[in-house]
Amino acid sequence: MAVLGPGGVGGLLAAVLSRAGHRVICLAGESTAHALRRDGIRVRSPQFGEFTVPVEARGELREPVDLCLVTVKQTALTGAAARIAPGAVAGGVVVPLLNGVEHADALRRRFGAERVVPGVVRVESTRVAPGVVEHGSPFTEIDLAGPPERLADLAGLLRGAGVRTRVIEDEPTVLWGKLAFLAPFALLTTRYALPIGPVRTGHREELAALVAEAAAVGRACGATVDPERTLALYDAFPPAAKSSMQRDAEAGRPLELDAVGGALLRAAERHGVPVPLAARLVAELSPGAAAAS
């Protein structure tokens, strides 16, 4: 199997799959690939413990694989997907685990609709150096969208590596269930440069209003979304938890603002759902907003 983007999420999944006995090929830039070939992947995790495993690593995938996990950031997807020759996945499946809801169609156009199995991952995991992964959450969960009978073997493979995996036939619910949770978390923690604890206390009204907006858009797109459950999940988070968008902002990396906030606004416009708070936050986080103000 191949992992495109062996960062915090991809590196963790590559490591646990390798430890479970699978041959894993990581696809990355040359400096990262060199570090992985030399040192493998080292994981520190409350769920999986501390361990190091060898992986293969290269810049492009030319040989056939049964499974390709796509775990790059949305901002890097177009260039990264070019690392995979379409024929390499002709007999397997491509499972994107990106933030947002629009990437699945782009990958279907490149690799074929029958090859792409959309999924979402719930985990807090960070690459602190090439091949070094800090897994912060006591869980790693993946939801796969598609027919249960078709995806039973894939789900079993992931479970065998220690990843709690569900198969849900309803694709909008899988993708929008994640985005309706992620968008409020990402937009507010990044806008106010605060972890979830101070956001859910000091900005509670905004949090609840944004959750309601995202849930309304998700329902308009055909998903089953429960805003009360979303708020309960935030309340259960450790108060110091940060979104990946906030971490990117702190590190000066490009934000997945378009994949998260932009996708929410575009879907809201298509379905005529008012989202004034989301629109304001996206505008305030857009490049040039600070200079303009």
Side-chain angles (χ1 to χ4, degrees):
M1 55 194 63
V3 176
L4 176 62
V9 173
L12 175 67
L13 294 174
V16 297
L17 287 165
S18 177
R19 188 170 71 163
H22 301 286
R23 180 188 172 204
V24 179
I25 303 169
C26 292
L27 305 173
E30 182 50 41
S31 61
T32 295
H34 175 74
L36 296 181
R37 287 193 296 266
R38 184 188 63 214
D39 302 323
I41 299 178
R42 186 167 80 240
V43 172
R44 293 189 287 267
S45 163
Q47 178 184 5
F48 300 108
E50 185 167 342
F51 65 97
T52 301
V53 290
V55 294
E56 298 178 42
R58 60 194 64 165
E60 295 183 344
L61 181 66
R62 297 295 177 187
E63 65 183 280
V65 295
D66 301 306
L67 168 65
C68 181
L69 298 175
V70 179
T71 54
V72 296
K73 295 279 191 180
Q74 176 78 25
T75 51
L77 179 60
T78 300
R83 296 183 182 277
I84 305 170
V89 294
V93 293
V94 176
V95 179
L97 299 171
L98 284 72
N99 292 328
V101 295
E102 298 172 337
H103 54 272
D105 287 342
L107 290 171
R108 285 174 172 134
R109 288 191 294 271
R110 177 168 175 79
F111 298 114
E114 72 284 359
R115 300 268 67 86
V116 177
V117 177
V120 299
V121 60
R122 287 179 291 275
V123 66
E124 183 186 2
S125 188
T126 304
R127 187 193 90 152
V128 296
V132 181
V133 175
E134 293 277 4
H135 175 208
S137 58
F139 57 84
T140 308
E141 299 175 347
I142 287 177
D143 289 347
L144 301 172
E149 63 277 7
R150 179 192 173 205
L151 301 180
D153 289 345
L154 174 56
L157 180 152
L158 293 168
R159 292 184 191 119
V163 179
R164 187 183 305 166
T165 305
R166 301 187 303 172
V167 177
I168 300 172
E169 198 152 7
D170 182 358
E171 182 176 322
T173 292
V174 170
L175 296 179
W176 276 97
K178 171 73 177 286
L179 186 61
F181 167 83
L182 176 64
F185 180 36
L187 294 176
L188 287 171
T189 57
T190 307
R191 171 63 181 84
Y192 294 114
L194 293 170
I196 190 61
V199 165
R200 69 189 178 209
T201 53
H203 299 274
R204 185 74 181 193
E205 288 187 9
E206 281 184 298
L207 179 62
L210 195 53
V211 166
E213 289 183 2
V217 176
R219 287 193 294 267
C221 293
T224 300
V225 183
D226 182 357
E228 294 303 319
R229 181 175 180 274
T230 300
L231 285 170
L233 288 172
Y234 294 143
D235 288 336
F237 263 38
K242 297 179 179 181
S243 67
S244 59
M245 187 184 292
Q246 181 185 1
R247 293 185 186 278
D248 286 341
E250 291 172 345
R253 294 188 291 262
L255 303 185
E256 291 187 295
L257 184 61
D258 186 66
V260 175
L264 179 65
L265 298 187
R266 286 188 287 274
E269 183 176 9
R270 285 196 304 272
H271 293 281
V273 178
V275 287
L277 180 53
R280 192 201 89 201
L281 290 169
V282 169
E284 290 175 351
L285 288 169
S286 295
S293 62

